[in-house]
Amino acid sequence: MKNLDIGLLRTFLHVAETRSMTFAAQRLHMTQGAVSQQIKRLEEVLDRRILDRGKTGVTLTPEGELLLMKARTLVEMNDSILATLAITEVAGIVRIGVPHDLMVMHLPNILPAFVKAYPLVEISLLAGSSTELIRSFDSGLLDLAILEEPATHAQGELLAMERPVWAGKKDGGAWQKRPLPICLVSETCVFKPTVLRELARASIDWRNVVDYPSMEAITATVQADLAVTALLPSTVPPGLDILGEEAGLPVLDEFAISLRIPAHGISAASLALADAIRSAYAAGEAGC
């Protein structure tokens, strides 16, 4: 009787998500040849061709599309079972990267219950922009990463979807000024491209008020009515208002909150934290 290898399925999921053997290999810290060999082994086990290779990348065959739906469920079930049965023995350090806004507004709703359930797990947090965190994750400096990615090409495991909104001081007037004073969490803020593109389309001149990678600095600047900012609705802190249509500011692109998890070599502690993150977002407890 044949058995499916979870490791092969993880590799397949990465290839299916990136539609590229090369990008999948970069994610997995493997050679392209090793990824190709794993896909070949999976096809041999299934006795089916699951990918079509072309000059522009790979596409899923009908059998591959069917496998994709089932593989996600099987890998998630595998990880959940391991995490559940290993609760009393899970220990170690988990290095997780989280964007500044989610660090402040979402993580406090996730971590307390996890820390109580897994007292032997040490969590090492790295705050940064999603752009910075992707580089750290791909370089192997992080075990997990929660990211904000444009919905049109998000590559991680989807946790939630939100559209950034404009936020300003309650009853403030910064939104009326021209050039529009704006502040973003960092120079590499993932929202910056859509903010600048949509302001240009709306012919709204702008100026940067603060350039310091801190959610606290952004909140203080906006609360002082020195600027407006762009945030996910679930991360708008108390004291700030979401600006409505009357402000005349453009609609921004939708973003995915996603989870990056290694396709292989992941520790039981990382699996347990990943499962806790999934559960919190699925239950609406993370802030969304």
Side-chain angles (χ1 to χ4, degrees):
M1 183 176 180
K2 294 182 179 180
N3 292 299
L4 290 172
D5 186 318
I6 296 296
L8 299 183
L9 291 177
R10 287 192 195 277
T11 298
F12 167 70
L13 289 178
H14 280 293
V15 174
E17 288 171 0
T18 61
R19 302 293 164 133
S20 166
M21 294 282 191
T22 301
F23 291 153
Q26 291 173 354
R27 271 199 196 180
L28 297 167
H29 309 295
M30 298 167 60
T31 65
Q32 184 174 337
V35 170
S36 180
Q37 185 62 32
Q38 288 201 2
I39 295 298
K40 181 180 179 181
R41 285 170 52 197
L42 183 57
E43 288 181 325
E44 289 173 350
V45 171
L46 297 170
D47 195 24
R48 295 288 188 278
R49 185 165 52 84
I50 55 177
L51 296 177
D52 283 327
R53 290 93 166 156
K55 292 183 179 180
T56 59
V58 300
T59 57
L60 299 181
T61 64
E63 290 81 3
E65 293 284 0
L66 178 60
L67 176 62
L68 180 61
M69 293 186 292
K70 302 293 185 180
R72 283 199 183 106
T73 301
L74 187 56
V75 171
E76 289 174 2
M77 185 177 296
N78 171 83
D79 295 347
S80 178
I81 290 172
L82 289 177
T84 300
L85 296 180
I87 286 179
T88 58
E89 301 177 4
V90 172
I93 298 175
V94 181
R95 304 165 300 170
I96 179 170
V98 186
H100 295 278
D101 52 346
L102 302 186
M103 178 83 76
V104 174
M105 302 302 292
H106 285 195
L107 221 55
N109 301 320
I110 300 173
L111 291 186
F114 176 83
V115 170
K116 184 177 181 180
Y118 298 90
L120 299 181
V121 174
E122 297 180 30
I123 299 176
S124 176
L125 295 169
L126 174 65
S129 70
S130 291
T131 304
E132 297 163 342
L133 296 175
I134 288 172
R135 288 198 294 264
S136 295
F137 181 81
D138 289 343
S139 299
L141 300 177
L142 294 172
D143 303 304
L144 301 173
I146 302 176
L147 303 171
E148 294 158 332
E149 302 181 282
T152 52
H153 53 275
Q155 296 184 14
E157 176 185 330
L158 181 64
L159 298 173
M161 294 283 284
E162 291 194 68
R163 187 181 300 277
V165 294
W166 294 98
K169 181 182 183 297
K170 288 183 181 292
D171 302 318
W175 60 271
Q176 302 177 71
K177 298 177 181 178
R178 296 295 182 274
L180 179 70
I182 64 173
C183 57
L184 301 173
V185 176
S186 74
E187 179 62 27
T188 57
C189 176
V190 73
F191 302 147
K192 188 173 182 178
T194 183
V195 166
L196 300 190
R197 184 182 64 249
E198 296 307 322
L199 287 175
R201 286 178 177 173
S203 298
I204 297 176
D205 292 332
W206 62 276
R207 65 184 178 88
N208 188 47
V209 175
V210 64
D211 185 11
Y212 183 77
S214 162
M215 186 66 178
E216 291 77 11
I218 297 303
T219 301
T221 302
V222 178
Q223 284 180 333
D225 204 25
L226 297 177
V228 298
T229 190
L231 296 168
L232 298 180
S234 65
T235 67
V236 175
L240 301 189
D241 263 350
I242 294 177
L243 300 175
E245 294 182 0
E246 69 279 359
L249 298 178
V251 175
L252 303 175
D253 294 341
E254 193 172 30
F255 276 72
I257 299 175
S258 60
L259 176 66
R260 290 285 179 93
I261 178 171
H264 65 92
I266 186 170
S267 69
S270 295
L271 281 174
L273 180 54
D275 192 51
I277 292 169
R278 292 188 190 102
S279 298
Y281 276 96
E285 297 170 352
C288 296

